[in-house]
């Protein structure tokens, strides 16, 4: 949804599905019939051809481009860190924003994406297990030397009622939550129909809160406005994003 919103705003946006075994970006974009995926680029190693990448990528709604996960889990191991690094570097030459959708577990390729990312979005929810996992993730990022300013936390309310508040989550994590996505019972219907609630119903509370994330990623959030002389430089430096799940 993040990359679709960026594309809808007129940016050249792409997504890389790094959940290499069970990625669902193809389903989200209704691109299940697309014949190629990221494993098709594995044979090129560290010398990835930009034109071939373009041929491999699928095209989804709003013109967003997607590098899909392999069609079958056994092909996941074909992609290594060197190959992934070369792919992301080539994509950065063509797109304003690259969103890397990672699985919840951490392994070598995910850590490579995190290391290359300009911003890291950690998505968590209102339950004790998710908060515990998010605390572990944030501590790991700290131990890896990731700048705290590069990380933002998003709370996703997946149930109609929650037993604790945003402030309690922030206190537990010792980290500010950027935005809370409220429970939205129609969200699955929008996804199943290939629609995006943010553009279809921009006045919905979910859409308003999600726009905070989009604006933050795009470098236009109100909390940290860019200074006029640095605006162009800020745009260039914010190209790669790792979207993790706490």
């Amino acid at each position: 949804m993040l990359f679709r919103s960026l594309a809808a705003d007129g940016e050249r946006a792409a997504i890389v599905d790094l959940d290499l075994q069970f990625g669902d970006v193809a389903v989200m974009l209704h691109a299940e019939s697309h014949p190629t995926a990221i494993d098709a680029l594995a044979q090129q190693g560290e010398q990835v051809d930009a034109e071939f990448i373009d041929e491999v990528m699928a095209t989804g709604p709003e013109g967003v481009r997607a590098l899909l996960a392999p069609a079958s889990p056994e092909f996941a191991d074909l992609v290594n860190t060197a190959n992934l690094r070369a792919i992301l570097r080539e994509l950065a030459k063509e797109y304003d924003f690259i969103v890397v959708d990672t699985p919840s577990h951490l392994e070598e390729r995910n850590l490579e994406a995190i290391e290359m990312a300009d911003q890291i979005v950690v998505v968590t929810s209102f339950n004790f297990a998710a908060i515990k996992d998010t605390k572990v993730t944030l501590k790991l990022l700290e131990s890896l030397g990731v700048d705290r300013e590069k990380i933002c936390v998003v709370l996703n309310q997946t149930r109609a009622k929650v037993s604790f508040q945003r402030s309690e989550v922030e206190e537990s994590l010792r980290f500010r939550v950027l935005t809370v996505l409220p429970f939205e019972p129609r969200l699955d219907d929008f996804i199943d129909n290939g629609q995006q609630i943010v553009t279809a119903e921009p006045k919905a509370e979910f859409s308003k809160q999600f726009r905070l994330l989009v604006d933050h990623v795009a470098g236009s959030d109100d909390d940290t406005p860019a200074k006029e002389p640095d605006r162009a430089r800020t745009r260039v430096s914010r190209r790669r994003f790792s979207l993790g799940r706490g």
Side-chain angles (χ1 to χ4, degrees):
M1 190 179 295
L2 173 59
F3 56 95
R4 288 183 63 178
S5 296
L6 290 167
D9 286 349
E11 308 288 356
R12 281 184 54 78
I15 183 169
V16 177
D17 192 346
L18 207 57
D19 190 347
L20 297 174
Q21 291 187 314
F22 301 103
D24 54 13
V25 169
V27 175
M28 299 282 284
L29 294 179
H30 292 235
E32 302 97 318
S33 61
H34 189 73
T36 52
I38 191 171
D39 53 297
L41 301 172
Q43 61 184 342
Q44 295 199 322
E46 297 183 52
Q47 303 297 322
V48 182
D49 181 72
E51 291 186 5
F52 188 43
I53 292 179
D54 190 63
E55 292 177 12
V56 169
M57 295 177 76
T59 301
E62 290 90 28
V64 70
R65 304 303 307 283
L67 191 53
L68 305 178
S72 189
E74 66 265 25
F75 298 132
D77 289 340
L78 295 176
V79 182
N80 58 41
T81 55
N83 183 224
L84 175 63
R85 188 184 312 115
I87 291 170
L88 293 177
R89 285 176 175 168
E90 281 300 321
L91 289 174
K93 298 175 184 178
E94 298 295 328
Y95 294 92
D96 299 315
F97 296 97
I98 304 164
V99 176
V100 181
D101 187 18
T102 66
S104 56
H105 66 276
L106 293 174
E107 49 97 52
E108 191 175 7
R109 290 161 299 193
N110 297 342
L111 293 175
E112 180 69 26
I114 287 172
E115 183 179 339
M116 296 183 70
D118 295 305
Q119 290 187 27
I120 301 165
V121 181
V122 180
V123 183
T124 189
S125 58
F126 284 92
N127 67 72
F128 290 111
I131 298 302
K132 184 269 294 181
D133 291 346
T134 301
K135 290 176 70 172
V136 172
T137 299
L138 293 173
K139 287 181 179 179
L140 175 62
L141 294 176
E142 181 182 4
S143 71
L144 292 173
V146 176
D147 189 344
R148 190 179 179 92
E149 296 301 315
K150 292 173 61 174
I151 306 168
C152 72
V153 175
V154 173
L155 262 174
N156 188 22
Q157 185 177 336
T158 57
R159 297 172 293 177
K161 295 182 179 180
V162 294
S163 56
F164 47 91
Q165 301 300 313
R166 168 180 179 164
S167 58
E168 296 177 79
V169 175
E170 292 180 321
E171 183 177 353
S172 177
L173 297 179
R174 296 183 180 179
F175 208 98
R176 184 177 73 90
V177 171
L178 174 68
T179 185
V180 177
L181 304 180
F183 176 70
E184 175 50 73
R186 302 168 298 165
L187 194 58
D188 286 341
D189 290 335
F190 276 100
I191 294 173
D192 291 344
N193 292 321
Q195 296 179 301
Q196 186 172 209
I197 187 173
V198 179
T199 53
E201 294 197 23
K203 293 184 179 180
E205 186 60 27
F206 182 95
S207 301
K208 293 177 182 178
Q209 294 302 315
F210 193 83
R211 285 300 317 183
L212 294 177
L213 173 59
V214 175
D215 291 343
H216 176 81
V217 165
S220 59
D221 56 307
D222 293 335
D223 290 340
T224 55
K227 296 179 181 178
E228 190 68 33
D230 296 335
R231 195 165 288 164
R233 185 176 61 190
T234 302
R235 167 71 174 280
V236 172
S237 68
R238 291 188 167 187
R239 283 189 169 178
R240 292 179 295 272
F241 306 90
S242 181
L243 185 62
R245 302 161 193 160

